[in-house]
Amino acid sequence: MANATPFTAFLLVSFLCISSYFSFSKAENTALPIVSGLSWTFYQKSCPKVESIVRKQLQKVFKEDISQAAALLRLHFHDCFVQGCDASVLLDGSASGPSEQDAPPNLTLRGFKIINDLRALVHKECGRVVSCADIAALAARDSVYLSGGPDYDVPLGRRDGLSFATRDATLQNLPPPFANADTILSSLATKNFDPTDVVALSGGHTIGISHCGSFTRRLYPTQDPTMDQTFAKNLRRVCPTENSTNTTVLDIRTPNKFDNKYYVDLMNRQGLFTSDQDLYTNGKTRSIVTSFAVNETLFFEKFVVAMVKMSQLSVLTGKTGEIRANCSVRNANNRSFLASVVEENATSEY
Ligand code: HEM
């Protein structure tokens, strides 16, 4: 009996260590609601290695260039907000007209080749069963995790769209960086995001870069009074003119690390875009910014909820859409895909 107390304490400490290790290693988000047609175990039989293939390959890519993590996170956001997460943003323009990629907010997107390379690796292992839209969602998740953010499960089963959105639809669905918080809140409310989701999603700006043109109207002709003086001075050095083509980081504290420092930036008036900084100025979002700045675990938790929600916007499932053989072209326009289908049919006849 005398030994029971230290032993019990040992057991308790061991249990706490083990359980906290597991609970921090992956957000337990599979209780979150998912739309019909998507599932947490979609490729369990048809492509059980898809997630490990994507993660391993991205580990290699990011070892060479960690800035690509931001590119892939933004790609998934731009895919989902315009016409749903259907990989339409990955389609090249066709003879019939310019693609979503040619619309102004998408001109600075990067990472298209990384997605197509992932697609090739996955299809080599499993055949043409995994959609480009699912690969983009997994790549965004792994970008967050591999740059220091939370790990979480992504519901899968999206199919690829057959058409891309117009320039107008793209502009209408992606708010500009000069929008204030009220505009961002009402724009995202149309997609069912509440203020906590909006502030959490904006935390995507904890990694990555921006071109001068996205924020120089805060510097010229007059400086935005909500911007810290020293921060503004340094930005004027990077962007000496309004249309300079240089780039700078979105989060000055830890530009390549997925953490809560973006919110600390905002509290110090060092947010790069009006759409960022105004989240701290606006009374509807200010306390949410502060709560994330002081509690990274809370930010990670709310970010996962909002990302899983975003990743399900207007998805195509079941028999709608298709599984593209090349993420940049739909199958009907893909000559090598069509040739291989003809060959398959020809061989199967004999
Ligand atoms: C809420 C409204 C948003 C606005 C107005 C906005 C605007 C922008 C702009 C203007 C850029 C820089 C483009 C350039 O000049 O190169 C950018 C970059 C970026 N955005 Fe957003 N964004 C928003 C939401 C989001 C969301 C929801 C995410 C992800 C969850 C996100 C992730 C990123 C990332 C990671 C980059 C850096 C990309 C790179 O390094 O290539 N943004 N955003």
Side-chain angles (χ1 to χ4, degrees):
M1 199 63 194
N3 287 339
T5 312
F7 183 65
T8 316
F10 169 76
L11 281 183
L12 187 67
V13 169
S14 312
F15 171 77
L16 286 175
C17 287
I18 292 167
S19 63
S20 71
Y21 171 79
F22 284 110
S23 62
F24 283 110
S25 66
K26 191 155 192 174
E28 283 171 21
N29 61 293
T30 49
L32 292 173
I34 56 174
V35 305
S36 105
L38 294 187
S39 130
W40 299 106
T41 53
F42 195 81
Y43 297 112
Q44 205 168 52
K45 290 218 171 81
S46 61
C47 195
K49 289 195 186 144
V50 59
E51 299 203 28
S52 62
I53 294 172
V54 171
R55 180 154 295 184
K56 263 193 211 140
Q57 174 65 9
L58 288 181
Q59 263 162 346
K60 277 190 211 159
V61 171
F62 298 159
K63 214 171 159 191
E64 290 292 306
D65 180 5
I66 186 63
S67 88
Q68 297 298 341
L72 297 175
L73 176 58
R74 186 171 183 230
L75 208 50
H76 179 52
F77 156 54
H78 281 221
D79 181 29
C80 294
F81 263 53
V82 183
Q83 200 177 277
C85 314
D86 62 350
S88 57
V89 74
L90 303 180
L91 289 171
D92 288 339
S94 65
S96 61
S99 67
E100 241 169 278
Q101 284 172 22
D102 301 309
N106 289 338
L107 293 174
T108 46
L109 286 178
R110 316 180 281 141
F112 296 103
K113 183 172 182 301
I114 302 173
I115 298 286
N116 231 339
D117 290 349
L118 288 171
R119 197 262 326 133
L121 285 173
V122 169
H123 286 187
K124 194 171 162 215
E125 171 77 21
C126 306
R128 190 173 48 88
V129 292
V130 180
S131 66
C132 296
D134 274 349
I135 289 174
L138 289 173
R141 186 271 307 272
D142 287 354
S143 296
V144 168
Y145 175 62
L146 295 173
S147 45
D151 198 3
Y152 57 93
D153 282 301
V154 176
L156 297 170
R158 296 165 194 76
R159 295 182 48 98
D160 299 324
L162 302 175
S163 61
F164 41 67
T166 61
R167 174 190 162 99
D168 280 358
T170 308
L171 283 166
Q172 212 159 41
N173 285 283
L174 290 167
F178 49 84
N180 64 20
D182 279 331
T183 307
I184 302 281
L185 285 171
S186 54
S187 165
L188 270 66
T190 64
K191 299 187 197 303
N192 253 335
F193 291 112
D194 64 22
T196 302
D197 295 325
V198 172
V199 176
L201 283 177
S202 301
H205 290 171
T206 176
I207 52 173
I209 55 164
S210 167
H211 291 78
C212 293
S214 299
F215 57 85
T216 41
R217 65 167 77 189
R218 297 187 71 201
L219 302 172
Y220 309 112
T222 51
Q223 190 196 306
D224 181 334
T226 64
M227 192 186 270
D228 171 71
Q229 291 289 349
T230 313
F231 182 56
K233 203 171 112 197
N234 290 333
L235 288 178
R236 276 198 300 273
R237 208 171 292 148
V238 181
C239 311
T241 61
E242 201 165 348
N243 41 20
S244 158
T245 53
N246 292 340
T247 60
T248 191
V249 296
L250 295 177
D251 167 12
I252 53 160
R253 285 182 168 71
T254 50
N256 292 317
K257 188 161 190 284
F258 196 100
D259 57 15
N260 66 340
K261 295 292 187 291
Y262 159 84
Y263 301 103
V264 178
D265 297 339
L266 301 190
M267 291 184 72
N268 287 286
R269 305 198 292 140
Q270 294 158 331
L272 195 59
F273 307 137
T274 303
S275 58
D276 296 318
Q277 192 56 57
D278 205 45
L279 296 173
Y280 189 63
T281 311
N282 191 301
K284 297 183 195 109
T285 44
R286 187 183 180 105
S287 63
I288 309 172
V289 170
T290 310
S291 71
F292 291 167
V294 300
N295 186 347
E296 186 171 78
T297 309
L298 181 69
F299 162 49
F300 283 1
E301 189 190 304
K302 300 295 182 192
F303 183 78
V304 168
V305 169
M307 279 295 283
V308 170
K309 211 167 167 183
M310 181 179 92
S311 81
Q312 303 185 70
L313 288 172
S314 305
V315 288
L316 300 171
T317 58
K319 289 190 161 52
T320 58
E322 62 183 7
I323 304 296
R324 272 182 224 147
N326 171 344
C327 294
S328 329
V329 271
R330 59 191 197 128
N331 293 341
N333 296 349
N334 184 340
R335 281 162 183 261
S336 55
F337 167 72
L338 289 173
S340 73
V341 172
V342 171
E343 238 166 56
E344 255 171 45
N345 287 346
T347 8
S348 61
E349 274 173 29
Y350 291 97

